[in-house]
Amino acid sequence: MINVVVIDDSAFMRKAISTMLEKDPGIKVVATARDGEEGLAVIRKFNPDVITLDIEMPKMDGLTALRHIMMEMPKPVIMVSSLTTEGAESTLKALDLGAVDFIPKQLSKVSLDIVKIETDLISKVKSVAMRRMRPVPRLRSAAVAAKRPVTPRVNIGRPKRDVVMIGVSTGGPPAVQKILSSLPKDFPAGIVIAQHMPKAFTGPFANRLNSISQLTVKEAETGDRLVPGSVFVAPGGSHLVIDQRFSRIELTVTAEPKEALYKPSANVLATSVANAVGRRALGVILTGMGNDGRDGIRDLKSKGGRAIAQSDSSCVVYGMPKAIVDDGLADEIVDIDDMAEAILNNLYL
């Protein structure tokens, strides 16, 4: 039985989240709370396996409560977040502080999508409940990263690969930030990222990455060109694909395929990278639920590309990396602390 505490200042939200979760016989909501102070008290009393936590609350807000939780009694925390720019900024901060995932608040209400919402919420709770809490990666500032950049162990002439594709989901923002903050400003490849995230979040996420990286990071737009040292984040709700056009690589943001489970999809991006540049590609699959990215990495490998998977021990959820490891598609399995160096080295292999 997975015991959950729900913390939210809205009585409706407390009831809605509790009702959805308890439709699964393996989940029990042992307590609810109206604010951060009350939430800390019930967490101490019930010692739950998972916590859902609102951000905007009276007395003690969610970010303050999260800091106390992570210092005093680290638990898997799923934030309940509004789909606004402000909500995105607060949620990204929460993920930095140690939250493992988030639920878009508007989508938590009873609606025509209730079945999908329940499935996603229950899946997230079950996935994170199975993981022990790990230390939150501490980000280095861009200034510090500039003084201590990673360098390749193997560097013979020009790199063999000039496109890096990253697929990531639950637990992804701190992992991606850790990688990009460690890469040198003369990084010899372009990077494209499919992070499972709502539309309102990917722009602020790209801006945050740009602020901590020596590379140039932005949310992708149709017509952008991928060059060494550039990083593009796929917009939420759409797919990102690349195409080799003569001497340049161009990006396209598209709604197709509409039937894809995730938008953006790591599979769609990886397959386009495989078709566009083949053996010049490196695929990186990081923490996340499910197996998105496996089929695309298979396509990439069939064209001569290489692939890296994040290690089980450093993932929040070992789903997406496990899928490519189990299929024998990973050339290396790497801890997140060593991922930037591994990416740089693999450009020359």
Side-chain angles (χ1 to χ4, degrees), residues 249-272:
I249 299 173
E250 291 191 354
L251 278 59
T252 300
V253 174
T254 176
E256 300 294 337
K258 293 180 179 179
E259 68 276 9
L261 180 60
Y262 301 104
K263 293 183 180 179
S265 164
N267 276 328
V268 171
L269 179 56
T271 295
S272 79

Side-chain angles (χ1 to χ4, degrees), residues 7-8 53-58 60-64 79-82 86-92 94 102 105:
I7 307 172
D8 199 297
L53 179 61
D54 191 14
I55 294 178
E56 296 295 333
M57 295 183 293
M60 180 185 290
D61 63 63
L63 293 181
T64 303
M79 305 306 293
V80 180
S81 172
S82 63
E86 294 77 15
E89 294 289 356
S90 296
T91 303
L92 291 171
F102 62 93
K105 191 162 190 174

Side-chain angles (χ1 to χ4, degrees), residues 208-227:
R208 174 174 286 241
L209 293 175
N210 189 58
S211 72
I212 57 90
S213 174
Q214 297 184 83
L215 309 182
T216 301
V217 188
K218 71 182 290 285
E219 187 178 42
E221 299 177 271
T222 295
D224 283 334
R225 293 185 182 182
L226 188 66
V227 297

Side-chain angles (χ1 to χ4, degrees), residues 318-330:
Y318 189 54
M320 289 168 60
K322 183 178 187 296
I324 72 166
V325 170
D326 287 353
D327 267 24
L329 300 171

Side-chain angles (χ1 to χ4, degrees), residues 158-194:
R158 297 176 59 186
K160 296 178 181 179
R161 308 178 198 283
D162 60 356
V163 175
V164 178
M165 171 271 163
I166 296 176
V168 60
S169 185
T170 305
V176 174
Q177 289 174 185
K178 187 172 189 65
I179 293 168
L180 294 191
S181 68
S182 300
L183 294 176
K185 62 182 178 182
D186 58 351
F187 186 70
I191 301 175
V192 284
I193 301 171

Side-chain angles (χ1 to χ4, degrees), residues 263-321:
K263 293 183 180 179
S265 164
N267 276 328
V268 171
L269 179 56
T271 295
S272 79
V273 169
N275 292 335
V277 300
R279 66 177 62 252
R280 291 160 47 200
L282 171 65
V284 180
I285 301 298
L286 304 178
T287 175
M289 290 190 297
N291 60 16
D292 186 31
R294 180 185 59 193
D295 295 343
I297 292 295
R298 186 181 296 114
D299 291 338
L300 187 151
K301 292 279 292 184
S302 72
K303 299 291 180 66
R306 287 181 65 83
I308 304 175
Q310 185 177 345
S311 65
D312 182 4
S313 62
S314 66
C315 282
V316 170
V317 178
Y318 189 54
M320 289 168 60

Side-chain angles (χ1 to χ4, degrees), residues 2 45 151 195 230 236-237 292 296 313:
I2 298 171
K45 179 179 179 180
T151 56
Q195 161 77 61
S230 64
D292 186 31
S313 62

